Amino acid sequence: MQKTSARLLALLSLLQARRDWPGALLAERLEVSPRTVRRDVERLRELGYPIVAAKGPDGGYRLEAGSRLPPLLFDDEQAVALVVALQTVAVTGAGVGEAAARALTTVRQVMPARLRHRIDSFQVTAVEPAAAAPVDGATLSTLSAAIHAREEVRFDYPGGRPRRAHPHHLLTWGGRWYLLAWDPDRGDWRTFRADRITPRVPNGPRFTPRDLPGGDVATFVTSRFRGSESGWPCRGEVILNLPAAEVSRYTPDGFAEELGPGWCRLILGSWSWPALAAAVGRFDADFEIIGPPELKEAAAHLARRYARAAGSPPSALG
């Protein structure tokens, strides 16, 4: 019986590894007769695995998706990877945290004791990002299906009339989910926050996908969030009372030039002038703003705000 059970697991593992298996090749890999392979396939079917037989001189078998979820087979590494993913799913903002917790309990119950002990010692604390906005899992599923089917999506979105778009990619940025899509009404690429999308049904007509400029989703989206293809929309220059080598470690998108012992010139960009002023202030060092005027105005604005927050009157700033 143990030999038969081990052979069934080996057969199932082979069927999961590739789409089609000739019967003779399966028999060779398992070191059994084709008749034994047929019997083992029938046993797996009785357990709920939808295995179809291919007709022809060679014959063969294929494991297809079924109408219900049969017992699954994972190796040790896959099982641990699944547990880690389920424990950290909360930080994705996908709105499936409760379902992930139930799935984790289910997976743990069917694991052998040696794996349960291993995953019980691997506890991950998933901290929800402060800026993250949860997204309904059904919305993500709808958008994903439209991307796969190349169908136009129609949806309600804050700020005006219903929108339509040709979906290209779902992505995450800064703890939020976004839909990258071509907007046919505006003739340009757009990124929509998924938590603000309310899909309309049915979807629109099929479309021919456009090539993304540059071809790389990560590079294109990064440049869009920075405000332009060439870099940040707001760039400024300051003299900072810190060595350039120290500043460079925390400004991968900036340029730090050594000016003398303990001083450097820093050129940095950001998506807004207040954000740029705050980025400079985070170094906790004296600095002088070279320009432009917008950066000086933003720094003065933040100084007044911080003074009010600290309970100091605006006049104390001089």
Side-chain angles (χ1 to χ4, degrees):
M1 179 62 68
Q2 291 180 348
K3 185 176 180 180
T4 300
S5 300
R7 193 176 63 244
L8 288 177
L9 291 176
L11 173 59
L12 181 57
S13 180
L14 290 173
L15 291 172
Q16 290 177 332
R18 55 183 280 183
R19 181 172 177 81
D20 294 294
W21 278 94
L25 182 56
L26 281 175
E28 179 183 341
R29 293 289 294 270
L30 296 171
E31 299 181 349
V32 297
S33 67
R35 181 179 179 182
T36 300
V37 171
R38 289 194 295 271
R39 288 202 303 264
D40 289 348
V41 166
E42 286 301 323
R43 292 189 179 98
L44 288 177
R45 286 171 175 164
E46 292 172 359
L47 292 173
Y49 290 95
I51 302 173
V52 297
K55 297 181 179 180
D58 296 331
Y61 301 95
R62 174 187 301 172
L63 179 63
E64 293 192 339
S67 58
R68 62 190 181 92
L69 189 64
L72 301 177
L73 176 66
F74 297 106
D75 59 32
D76 290 11
E77 289 75 16
Q78 289 174 325
V80 173
L82 179 61
V83 170
V84 172
L86 291 172
Q87 288 191 29
T88 57
V89 71
V91 299
T92 67
V96 294
E98 182 180 346
R102 296 198 308 269
L104 180 58
T105 300
T106 301
V107 170
R108 185 188 179 280
Q109 288 175 344
V110 298
M111 282 184 172
R114 59 183 176 82
L115 274 186
R116 284 202 303 272
H117 176 73
R118 185 175 176 184
I119 67 169
D120 287 345
S121 64
F122 198 104
Q123 294 297 320
V124 180
T125 300
V127 180
E128 185 78 14
V135 184
D136 182 21
T139 297
L140 293 179
S141 297
T142 298
L143 296 176
S144 297
I147 292 171
H148 180 74
R150 299 178 178 179
E151 293 178 344
E152 181 180 273
V153 290
R154 299 166 178 171
F155 54 93
D156 294 319
Y157 200 75
R161 57 184 176 80
R163 306 291 292 271
R164 66 188 184 103
H166 297 169
H168 185 276
H169 233 81
L170 274 175
L171 55 102
T172 59
W173 177 281
R176 299 187 190 275
W177 283 87
Y178 292 89
L179 171 68
L180 173 62
W182 173 262
D183 189 327
D185 296 324
R186 290 164 173 78
D188 195 9
W189 292 92
R190 290 289 188 270
T191 51
F192 301 94
R193 276 181 49 175
D195 60 297
R196 296 178 176 176
I197 291 177
T198 303
R200 288 173 168 248
V201 292
N203 288 338
R206 292 174 59 87
F207 63 90
T208 301
R210 294 173 176 266
D211 293 330
L212 192 66
D216 180 71
V217 173
T219 301
F220 178 78
V221 171
T222 299
S223 66
R224 279 300 176 104
F225 276 109
R226 290 178 177 178
S228 70
E229 301 296 334
S230 59
W232 296 105
C234 303
R235 294 180 65 85
E237 179 180 348
V238 301
I239 304 297
L240 194 60
N241 189 13
L242 282 174
E246 181 176 344
V247 173
S248 297
R249 294 202 303 266
Y250 304 100
T251 56
D253 292 332
F255 171 77
E257 178 187 15
E258 195 74 32
L259 294 181
W263 290 89
C264 71
R265 179 171 70 102
L266 175 63
I267 299 176
L268 193 62
S270 187
W271 57 273
S272 73
W273 295 113
L276 180 55
V280 175
R282 68 189 171 97
F283 285 103
D284 192 23
D286 292 336
F287 63 91
E288 176 188 353
I289 297 177
I290 304 303
E294 291 85 352
L295 179 56
K296 294 183 178 181
E297 294 172 4
H301 172 71
L302 288 182
R304 292 190 292 270
R305 175 174 291 170
Y306 290 153
R308 287 193 297 268
S312 302
S315 58
L317 297 176

